[in-house]
Every structure is written in structure tokens, then in C-alpha cells.
Amino acid sequence: MASESNLQDRKEKEDVVKVSIMSKLIETGEKERLKEILRQKLVECGWRDELKEYCKEVIRSKGLEKITVDELVAEITPRGRATVPDEVKTELLQHIRKFLQAT
């Protein structure tokens, strides 16, 4: 029981830290800047074009009239997340760390 309580306390503290970080990112405009960096990097590495092609494949296989936007998003999201290059993730994480160290 004690370890379960400690686990819950830790999760609550992590949630508070996440909310605090997100608030700082939003208040300073850093979140938008990071989103723009991410967009640029994903275009540069070809990720966006690859995912766009995958969307077209899904639409062709299911039929344009038979798939909703929500279904398409549900279908492509796991692949999209899984195929973001590690270099892009690492670079974005470095930007976030630098931002947190400066604040």
C-alpha cells in the first residue's frame, strides 16, 4: 500500500510539473516557436510528404466517401508518431531543455 501511495504522489507531482512547464511555454510564446521549428524539421526530413502519401493510400483503400476525417486521423496518428525521426525528437528536446534552463 505504501508504494502505491508513493507512486500516486509521484504521478501527481509529475502532473503539476508538466502543467507548470506547459504554462511557461504558452505564456512566453515558446510553444508556438517550438511548433514552428517542429513543422520545419518534419518538412525538411520528408516526414510530412511521407505521411501525406500514407493518407492518400488510406483514402484510396477505404474509399473517399466511406472514411471520415476522424477515422483518417485515428488511422494515421499512430504511424505519424512512430515515424518522427529520432534526430527531430532530440533536437526539439534540446530546445525545451535550453528554454527551461533559461527560465
Side-chain angles (χ1 to χ4, degrees), residues 2-43:
S3 65
E4 195 172 306
S5 176
N6 289 342
L7 201 63
Q8 184 64 28
D9 288 346
R10 184 176 175 183
K11 182 175 177 0
E12 288 174 10
K13 287 177 184 174
E14 286 176 3
D15 289 346
V16 168
V17 170
K18 285 179 185 177
V19 168
S20 174
I21 290 170
M22 189 56 73
S23 293
K24 282 184 183 180
L25 288 170
I26 292 168
E27 288 169 11
T28 61
E30 186 68 8
K31 181 178 177 188
E32 287 304 314
R33 193 177 81 75
L34 290 171
K35 282 170 50 176
E36 190 51 44
I37 290 170
L38 179 59
R39 270 188 213 99
Q40 179 184 353
K41 294 296 177 186
L42 292 174
V43 168

Side-chain angles (χ1 to χ4, degrees), residues 2 8 11 14 18-20 24 28 31-33 38 47 50-51 56-57 60 69 74-75 77-78 80 84 86 100 103:
Q8 184 64 28
K11 182 175 177 0
E14 286 176 3
K18 285 179 185 177
V19 168
S20 174
K24 282 184 183 180
T28 61
K31 181 178 177 188
E32 287 304 314
R33 193 177 81 75
L38 179 59
W47 177 91
E50 289 174 20
L51 199 62
K56 290 177 183 178
E57 287 174 29
R60 277 193 290 272
V69 172
E75 177 88 23
T77 296
V84 173
D86 288 341
L100 292 175
T103 58

Side-chain angles (χ1 to χ4, degrees), residues 58-74:
V58 170
I59 291 168
R60 277 193 290 272
S61 70
K62 299 203 182 240
L64 181 60
E65 303 301 320
K66 295 183 176 142
I67 189 166
T68 66
V69 172
D70 290 340
E71 290 169 338
L72 182 60
V73 169

Side-chain angles (χ1 to χ4, degrees), residues 21 25 30 33-35 37-38 41 84-101:
I21 290 170
L25 288 170
E30 186 68 8
R33 193 177 81 75
L34 290 171
K35 282 170 50 176
I37 290 170
L38 179 59
K41 294 296 177 186
V84 173
D86 288 341
E87 309 85 58
V88 173
K89 293 176 187 177
T90 301
E91 185 175 336
L92 197 61
L93 194 54
Q94 288 171 346
H95 281 287
I96 294 169
R97 283 189 179 125
K98 192 183 290 186
F99 168 77
L100 292 175
Q101 288 170 351

